[in-house]
Amino acid sequence: MTVTPLVPAPAFRGRIGRDPSSGHYAVPRRYRLHLAPGHDGCLGIAVVHRLLGLDEVCPVTLLPRRPDCPDGGYTALRPLYEASAHHYRGPALAPVLSDGWSGRIVSTHARDIMRDLARSFTPAAGPVLYPRGAEAEIAAVEELCTRAADPAALPGVLDLLERRLSAHSHLAGDRLTAADVEVWAALARRDTPRRTDEHPALRSHLRRLSAHPAFGRHLAGRPA
């Protein structure tokens, strides 16, 4: 169960870049992920982290499935929020990408974090999750995943995803990309699979992804 925070948390949207002048540049073990198993954004980050084999490059702190604060936040994250926002009094929410050098938050924006992990730390043998030329396709799938949170919009979203998978083996072409991670994180752990009986290509794709260790190990909320 996901607890809705009583007040919104501030948005931290720092980015990891390749240029040292950016302040947040890619250095192994400088950054840490703080992830909660019950949060869809955390789930997508955890899958990307696992696909790219970043355990040593960017360690993960796994938070409890349920927040331990009445406001829907986490006690363990509060020092990071208080160091990053003056007189911060809101909920300390996951996901968080923190900077070990400054003790502050870099980002709480799941899609930015996924992109930065993939673009800044991708090993030579890892999958290219954001391939050149697929940016528009991935962005379109991200928008569908956002719409899928609305029960009224979900049937139409499933139809569009089915159409994509009827033409290609994956959601942004014929290889695994971040689009597949987004859809799996948005759909796999909800009751959506039982609603895909009329969407055989989508149902089959979700099952194939769940059989992959980088995806399936998170279905039961196991560590990232």
Side-chain angles (χ1 to χ4, degrees), residues 157-198:
V157 170
L158 297 181
D159 289 343
L160 291 170
L161 294 174
E162 179 71 13
R163 191 178 307 165
R164 283 178 173 271
L165 289 167
S166 297
H168 298 281
S169 64
H170 292 76
L171 285 155
D174 291 316
R175 58 176 171 173
L176 179 71
T177 68
D180 302 286
V181 177
E182 288 272 357
V183 168
W184 186 86
L187 302 182
R189 295 200 307 177
R190 300 177 179 177
D191 65 352
T192 308
R194 69 180 178 82
R195 301 182 62 175
T196 60
D197 289 343
E198 297 180 1

Side-chain angles (χ1 to χ4, degrees), residues 11-61:
F12 295 94
R13 294 194 65 172
R15 304 299 300 269
I16 299 176
R18 298 179 184 275
D19 182 358
S21 66
S22 68
H24 295 120
Y25 52 95
V27 176
R29 301 195 70 81
R30 173 178 175 178
Y31 304 99
R32 176 173 289 273
L33 289 167
H34 307 260
L35 304 178
H39 188 287
D40 288 345
C42 293
L43 182 58
I45 294 168
V47 172
V48 167
H49 184 271
R50 183 69 174 179
L51 282 169
L52 299 178
L54 299 179
D55 289 343
E56 294 299 320
V57 173
C58 183
V60 173
T61 293

Side-chain angles (χ1 to χ4, degrees), residues 21-207:
S21 66
S22 68
H24 295 120
Y25 52 95
V27 176
R29 301 195 70 81
R30 173 178 175 178
Y31 304 99
R32 176 173 289 273
L33 289 167
H34 307 260
L35 304 178
H39 188 287
D40 288 345
C42 293
L43 182 58
I45 294 168
V47 172
V48 167
H49 184 271
R50 183 69 174 179
L51 282 169
L52 299 178
L54 299 179
D55 289 343
E56 294 299 320
V57 173
C58 183
V60 173
T61 293
L62 190 69
L63 300 163
R65 175 172 292 275
R66 295 187 179 184
D68 59 356
C69 294
D71 61 6
Y74 289 91
T75 302
L77 296 179
R78 181 150 297 280
L80 288 169
Y81 274 85
E82 291 178 347
S84 307
H86 188 56
H87 295 311
Y88 180 71
R89 294 293 182 269
L93 305 178
V96 165
L97 176 68
S98 66
D99 178 2
W101 291 3
S102 67
R104 296 182 178 184
I105 294 171
V106 177
S107 181
T108 57
H109 191 274
R111 285 172 179 162
D112 285 354
I113 294 171
M114 289 168 61
R115 278 178 167 80
D116 287 352
L117 291 177
R119 291 171 174 169
S120 299
F121 296 114
T122 303
V128 180
L129 296 177
Y130 296 90
R132 291 184 182 276
E135 294 89 350
E137 290 291 299
I138 293 172
V141 173
E142 289 174 343
E143 175 59 25
L144 289 176
C145 291
T146 298
R147 289 169 52 192
D150 178 0
L154 181 59
V157 170
L158 297 181
D159 289 343
L160 291 170
L161 294 174
E162 179 71 13
R163 191 178 307 165
R164 283 178 173 271
L165 289 167
S166 297
H168 298 281
S169 64
H170 292 76
L171 285 155
D174 291 316
R175 58 176 171 173
L176 179 71
T177 68
D180 302 286
V181 177
E182 288 272 357
V183 168
W184 186 86
L187 302 182
R189 295 200 307 177
R190 300 177 179 177
D191 65 352
T192 308
R194 69 180 178 82
R195 301 182 62 175
T196 60
D197 289 343
E198 297 180 1
H199 304 84
L202 176 59
R203 183 176 67 250
S204 178
H205 189 56
L206 291 174
R207 287 176 175 172

